[in-house]
């Protein structure tokens, strides 16, 4: 590993990768830089386990390029913000730390109640929610869920998009403001004339 552009192994056809991947640095690598180690003319199925996941990472790009990188060890994303708080644990306002972060709280002790989604308008055809989201959520995901009955299994879940469009009947408009995505979601009423909505965040 050492050339960010050149692959070390070329495979004709598909490649299924299994076993444990042991990586060692020979020379000096640039931390957090992806290096291509394998390409195929087909598709890579990656079942590899990293021997040292604390210091190395891997990814498959475009389904046929395997890349690895030596990590810097620096905390990023939620981990750099959280101060050790678990994603699903609650702050003093009763908001999950992960939700506060993904909605854009500046620090893990910043007020977060005001970041919860707000209803901008409601009428006989539906209602509009306004919310924000961090620009770089890393591996975390923010979901908008809605139901007409609140019963388990009745919720429709969509990942909040970061581009304007329509998803499962919800019209989403996305802009940026104050270093965050600024999002409105127009949610139509269901056949019962009711509809409930909530957010969910996963790490």
């Amino acid at each position: 590993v050492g050339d960010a552009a050149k692959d070390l192994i070329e495979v004709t056809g598909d490649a299924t990768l299994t076993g444990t991947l042991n990586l060692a640095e020979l020379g000096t690598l640039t931390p957090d830089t992806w290096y291509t180690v394998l390409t195929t003319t087909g598709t890579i199925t990656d079942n590899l386990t990293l021997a040292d996941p604390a210091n190395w990472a891997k990814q498959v790009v475009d389904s046929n390029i395997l890349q690895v990188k030596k990590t810097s060890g620096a905390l990023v994303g939620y981990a750099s913000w959280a101060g050790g708080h678990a994603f699903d644990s609650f702050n003093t306002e009763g908001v999950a730390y992960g939700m506060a972060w993904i909605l854009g709280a500046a620090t893990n002790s910043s007020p977060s109640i005001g970041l919860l989604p707000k209803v901008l308008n409601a009428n006989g055809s539906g209602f509009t929610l306004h919310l924000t989201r961090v620009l770089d959520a890393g591996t975390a995901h923010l979901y908008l869920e809605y139901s007409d009955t609140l019963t388990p299994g009745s919720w429709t879940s969509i990942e909040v998009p970061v581009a304007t469009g329509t998803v499962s009947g919800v019209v989403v408009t996305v802009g940026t403001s104050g270093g965050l995505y600024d999002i409105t979601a127009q949610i139509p009423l269901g056949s019962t004339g009711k509809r409930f909505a909530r957010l969910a965040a996963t790490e």
Side-chain angles (χ1 to χ4, degrees), residues 19-20 28 49 59 62 67 90 95 111-112 129 145 155 180 187:
T20 301
T28 302
T49 299
Q59 67 176 6
D62 296 331
Q67 296 182 327
F90 294 95
V95 178
S112 54
L129 286 183
E145 301 179 339
W155 293 88
L180 300 170
I187 304 170

Side-chain angles (χ1 to χ4, degrees), residues 1 4 8 17-18 25-26 31 81 102 112 114-115 160 162 164-165 173 175 197:
V1 179
L8 302 181
L17 309 178
T18 60
E25 181 179 9
L26 302 177
W81 176 95
I102 205 167
S112 54
L115 294 172
V160 176
V162 293
T164 296
T173 303

Side-chain angles (χ1 to χ4, degrees), residues 78-145:
Y78 175 75
S80 67
W81 176 95
H85 296 289
F87 195 87
D88 292 328
S89 64
F90 294 95
N91 64 20
T92 56
E93 296 178 300
V95 178
Y97 280 101
M99 182 64 74
W101 167 73
I102 205 167
L103 292 180
T107 70
N108 60 58
S109 60
S110 298
S112 54
I113 288 290
L115 294 172
L116 297 179
K118 301 172 181 64
V119 176
L120 296 183
N121 57 64
N123 52 46
S125 61
F127 57 96
T128 301
L129 286 183
H130 175 257
L131 60 141
T132 55
R133 204 211 79 170
V134 292
L135 295 179
D136 184 2
T139 59
H141 302 274
L142 180 64
Y143 297 93
L144 173 63
E145 301 179 339

Side-chain angles (χ1 to χ4, degrees), residues 5 32 34 52-53 56 75 87 108 118 136 141 147 172 180 183:
D32 295 318
W34 289 105
D52 185 11
W56 294 90
L75 296 176
F87 195 87
N108 60 58
K118 301 172 181 64
D136 184 2
H141 302 274
S147 167
V172 181
L180 300 170
I183 302 166

